[in-house]
Amino acid sequence: MTKVEPVTPVESAEPARAGRSRRRRIASLGVLVAALGTIATLYAGLAPAASSASNNDPAIQAGRQLFLQGCSTCHGLNAEGGARAPSLIGVGAAAVDFQVGTGRMPAQAHGPEMPRKRPVYDETQIQELATYVASLGAGPAIPTNLDYQSADVAYGGALFRTNCAQCHNFAGSGGALTYGKYAPSLSDATPRQIYEAMITGPENMPVFGDKQITPPEKLAIIDYVKTIKAEPNPGGAGLGRVGPVTETAVSWLVGIGGLVIITMWIGSKA
Amino acid sequence: MSAKKADANGGAALTRPENQGAAEKATRGTLKYVDDQFGSASFLKRSMDKVFPDHWSFMLGEIALYSFVILLLSGVYLTLFFHASQNVVQYNGSYQPLRGVQMTEAYASTLHISFDVRGGLLMRQIHHWAALIFVTSIVVHMFRVFFTGAFRKPRTINWHIGTILMILGILEGFAGYSLPDDLLSGTGLRIAYSVAESIPVVGTYVCYFLFGGNYPGQDIISRLFIIHVLLVPGILLALISAHMMILWHQKHTDFPGPGKTEDNVIGTKFYPGFFLKTNGFLFMVFGMITALAAFAQINPVWLYGPYNAGQVSAGSQPDWYILFLEGSLRMMPNWETHIWHHTISWNILIPGVILPGIMFNLLALYPNIEAWVTKDKAYHNLLDRPRDVPVRTGLGVMSLTFYMVLVAGGANDILASTFHWSLQATTWVLRVLLIALPPIAFKVTKRFCLGLQHHDEALLHHGVETGIIRRLPSGAYIEVEEPLPAKKAETLAKQIGYDPHHHGDGHAAIAAGDGHEPAPADGHTQTVTRPVGVLAKARTKLEDFWDEPREPVPDTQPHPEN
């Protein structure tokens, strides 16, 4: 906003037109100042005045305390980000709940992908952290409607195959991405975490906004993931549900391996 | 072990006199009836007495035969319920997560077989596991034939038939894998379409003829169905018959050993010994495949979902016998050439068409190439041990190493995500290994073979180390060595062509291997046989490469003055 003031007059090659063009320049400067003033007023009136209003909220204070101890080394004292970690202003409560709730944050080490691990903070602390980060700027909130069981599971399956299977595999078993990154297995993810991942797009995952995949569709996807996870493998051992690679290993090691041992046994009887 | 012994065993089973009469009467009656009809008693008699050698590795081909029987039986059951059609229907079967989804009839009927047909899922899984075991056992059988030199004259044609059987087995498997029209198999067909499309000039036409238009079209499933259930099985059946009739006619090969020559077969008579053994084995193969089908889930098409050109799953892999092609495609750098408004996709053409073409041709023609290089025109009914032909064994292991790296490349994403490797690093390491590992494998294998040969010769020449150290009057220490047991020594000597009377001098003759003489030192003869032309020179070079002289074993007894 401060960049606007220095307007250096440019010398014109044609003196006859110089006066007219100077007048025009002054007029346009006036319009610009007026416009900026209006925007500034509107912004001051409409923007959520989170920081000043709720700084006294004890949850925010507690969250800030946790943040300073556990997160600020990488994310900065005011969550402004740094060389090692992104800014958290505007990521929203859902992102914090997902990252801390799945144990990905605080990170153990820098790497291409933060692995899921046991959460360091308990549920209350995660809520406090989320409230603090949410107070820094608007972002997706923690989803509250998670009534996925009444969703259309078959439709969820179709959506899953279109939007999710290409990285997470057909059964949500996970898969490799580029340069050591990976789409994790969905077997441990809770419905809330799956929902949060879709609205916040953690790590390499794209954000699936509510216009792209509507909230009922998100619930249908969660329903599908949870349904196929819960359903038993009707054909026996599931072999990791990763497709033909493990079937290959079984056919060689157990199938032909076992049969070769049988031929040796028969051969030894001859 | 021997034919006589087998006879005695067979006789022993029928010693109870009251049964013997009845049994003999029944057998004789049956044979007489058949003979009255066909006049074939002498043929049957000869066939019943046919002798098969006993080594365990000679039963590997039987696994393929018996899994083929299982494939035919389970396949017939599946055709009773499968609809090879790409008409779109709405699924209303009992698998809840897909109810109401639009899908082709092929996929819907596969779901129907899996969930609503009695024994359908078990039969599907038996069919699929049997298919994997079928191709696997063909390959393992080929290992045995290759590494023992069983493909040499007069069995070269049978090797060619075997190679065609393997390739047809792969095609048959791929067609079957594609039939359910699920998301995984559709992805495979999409790749097959692109590979065919990459062939310059004719590629587009080939695709249009195969698929009846643009991918995926409406025809491919019904076409693959008739290929899968009629055309290829018919050819397989005919070629398997030819393969076995040739085997029957030529008699089985055997490893060298006491009493074994190029002109005899020692083993078990077809009836009753071999007949009982092989039938028992048939049921063991049935049992193994059924056990796999009962306890290990294979190809869960309901999880893959119906095929949709807009969808793909991570970890989309083919069955193992196509995995090497998947690997070559995944590992190939992205090369393309644009000439005259045409794109030549080297990135698909080389790994998808040219490479498998070279690999299968080399595999099929290997016996001819080896015979040409070694100038070996002799008949071989006795087998080589792998160590006794180090170059062939080395080449075999080298080719397998190349193949295995390709297979690993086909699973690069599974490897990367399982072991937390970088996908790019995995691919690059495999690219380097594909070039670097085979020559190393060749060298190491050859070294191993030579070491084992050396050990064998030492055993014959020195005997077995006893661990007893004795001090000589002169003060020197020697280890006491005992000669090998006579039977063992005879077997070993036959296997390596060892002649104890000409030890030392005999090395050159042994080195020359398959009965061909070392080049005469006579100058005149050499001028006559000097190679003329590129091909002849190459042949001489290859022959030098092929002949690996045995390493001489030093004499055992130290001189007293030591």
Side-chain angles (χ1 to χ4, degrees), chain A residues 152-230:
Chain A
D152 181 353
V153 64
Y155 183 46
L159 287 167
F160 182 85
R161 287 188 290 276
T162 306
N163 296 289
C164 319
Q166 53 194 297
C167 299
H168 287 286
N169 135 318
F170 57 89
S173 310
L177 300 175
T178 52
Y179 299 107
K181 294 173 279 195
Y182 58 86
S185 160
L186 303 181
S187 59
D188 295 335
T190 64
R192 192 170 88 194
Q193 287 164 350
I194 298 173
Y195 200 111
E196 286 167 347
M198 285 190 274
I199 54 176
T200 63
E203 311 217 19
N204 299 287
M205 184 163 160
V207 172
F208 293 94
D210 282 352
K211 296 227 167 111
Q212 197 180 351
I213 295 180
T214 62
E217 289 174 340
K218 287 192 171 93
L219 293 177
I221 289 175
I222 293 169
D223 192 14
Y224 182 74
V225 171
K226 288 287 136 193
T227 305
I228 59 167
K229 179 177 167 11

Side-chain angles (χ1 to χ4, degrees), chain B residues 225-486:
Chain B
F225 180 68
I226 208 67
I227 289 171
H228 181 75
V229 304
L230 182 68
L231 184 65
V232 180
I235 304 173
L236 278 173
L237 210 53
L239 287 178
I240 289 174
S241 310
H243 199 67
M244 295 189 59
M245 281 159 72
I246 293 173
L247 158 79
W248 195 273
H249 172 71
Q250 291 182 330
K251 302 177 187 69
H252 208 286
T253 51
D254 200 358
F255 288 106
K260 295 175 180 178
T261 69
E262 291 283 2
D263 305 316
N264 70 0
V265 185
I266 294 178
T268 314
K269 276 186 182 179
F270 180 79
Y271 191 85
F274 183 79
F275 180 79
L276 289 176
K277 185 172 87 170
T278 196
N279 274 301
F281 190 46
L282 165 89
F283 288 111
M284 289 183 195
V285 175
F286 272 37
M288 173 61 85
I289 289 172
T290 311
L292 275 175
F295 295 114
Q297 179 165 292
I298 189 164
N299 201 24
V301 285
W302 55 90
L303 288 176
Y304 298 144
Y307 184 62
N308 177 327
Q311 299 170 347
V312 70
S313 166
S316 289
Q317 261 96 4
D319 279 345
W320 78 261
Y321 42 84
I322 306 280
L323 208 51
F324 80 104
L325 279 176
E326 176 84 17
S328 65
L329 281 164
R330 289 186 184 200
M331 283 155 73
M332 180 72 194
N334 193 17
W335 296 343
E336 279 184 356
T337 316
H338 303 275
I339 322 168
W340 300 314
H341 305 291
H342 284 277
T343 305
I344 300 178
S345 301
W346 300 111
N347 47 6
I348 304 174
L349 186 65
I350 292 175
V353 180
I354 296 175
L355 185 79
I358 293 173
M359 284 168 71
F360 284 132
N361 273 299
L362 277 179
L363 183 68
L365 296 177
Y366 181 80
N368 309 68
I369 297 170
E370 189 191 295
W372 179 72
V373 168
T374 57
K375 297 176 183 159
D376 177 13
K377 294 191 173 61
Y379 279 85
H380 296 282
N381 290 321
L382 286 178
L383 297 171
D384 294 325
R385 289 184 314 164
R387 72 182 65 167
D388 293 324
V389 195
V391 175
R392 179 201 294 148
T393 307
L395 288 173
V397 174
M398 182 179 96
S399 313
L400 274 178
T401 310
F402 183 80
Y403 179 87
M404 289 308 292
V405 177
L406 287 181
V407 169
N412 61 355
D413 59 332
I414 302 283
L415 291 175
S417 64
T418 306
F419 298 107
H420 296 287
W421 297 336
S422 157
L423 185 61
Q424 270 80 353
T426 310
T427 307
W428 268 106
V429 166
L430 288 173
R431 279 174 182 168
V432 173
L433 289 182
L434 187 70
I435 310 293
L437 215 49
I440 297 173
F442 176 79
K443 272 279 175 204
V444 170
T445 309
K446 207 172 113 178
R447 196 54 251 167
F448 262 106
C449 291
L450 292 174
L452 288 167
Q453 279 184 4
H454 194 82
H455 177 68
D456 284 345
E457 290 232 355
L459 276 182
L460 283 173
H461 192 44
H462 293 189
V464 188
E465 294 172 354
T466 58
I468 300 167
I469 308 292
R470 190 163 288 163
R471 190 176 177 198
L472 296 181
S474 63
Y477 290 93
I478 59 158
E479 181 173 9
V480 177
E481 287 166 334
E482 273 181 4
L484 275 182

Side-chain angles (χ1 to χ4, degrees), chain A residues 16-44:
Chain A
R17 288 188 181 175
R20 214 178 345 146
S21 93
R22 192 175 299 131
R23 269 201 306 280
R24 200 180 287 160
R25 218 172 286 143
I26 289 165
S28 57
L29 186 66
V31 170
L32 187 63
V33 168
L36 282 173
T38 316
I39 290 168
T41 318
L42 278 173
Y43 182 79

Side-chain angles (χ1 to χ4, degrees), chain B residues 476-546:
Chain B
Y477 290 93
I478 59 158
E479 181 173 9
V480 177
E481 287 166 334
E482 273 181 4
L484 275 182
K487 204 174 167 192
K488 228 176 169 180
E490 192 191 345
T491 309
L492 197 56
K494 289 223 171 215
Q495 276 164 344
I496 67 176
Y498 178 85
D499 184 356
H501 304 297
H502 295 95
H503 187 70
D505 307 337
H507 276 305
I510 294 165
D514 304 321
H516 97 114
E517 299 298 314
D522 177 22
H524 179 69
T525 326
Q526 272 195 339
T527 33
V528 173
T529 56
R530 179 177 291 163
V532 186
V534 182
L535 212 57
K537 273 183 186 157
R539 188 181 184 181
T540 315
K541 274 232 167 94
L542 281 171
E543 200 182 354
D544 290 345
F545 169 73
W546 191 270

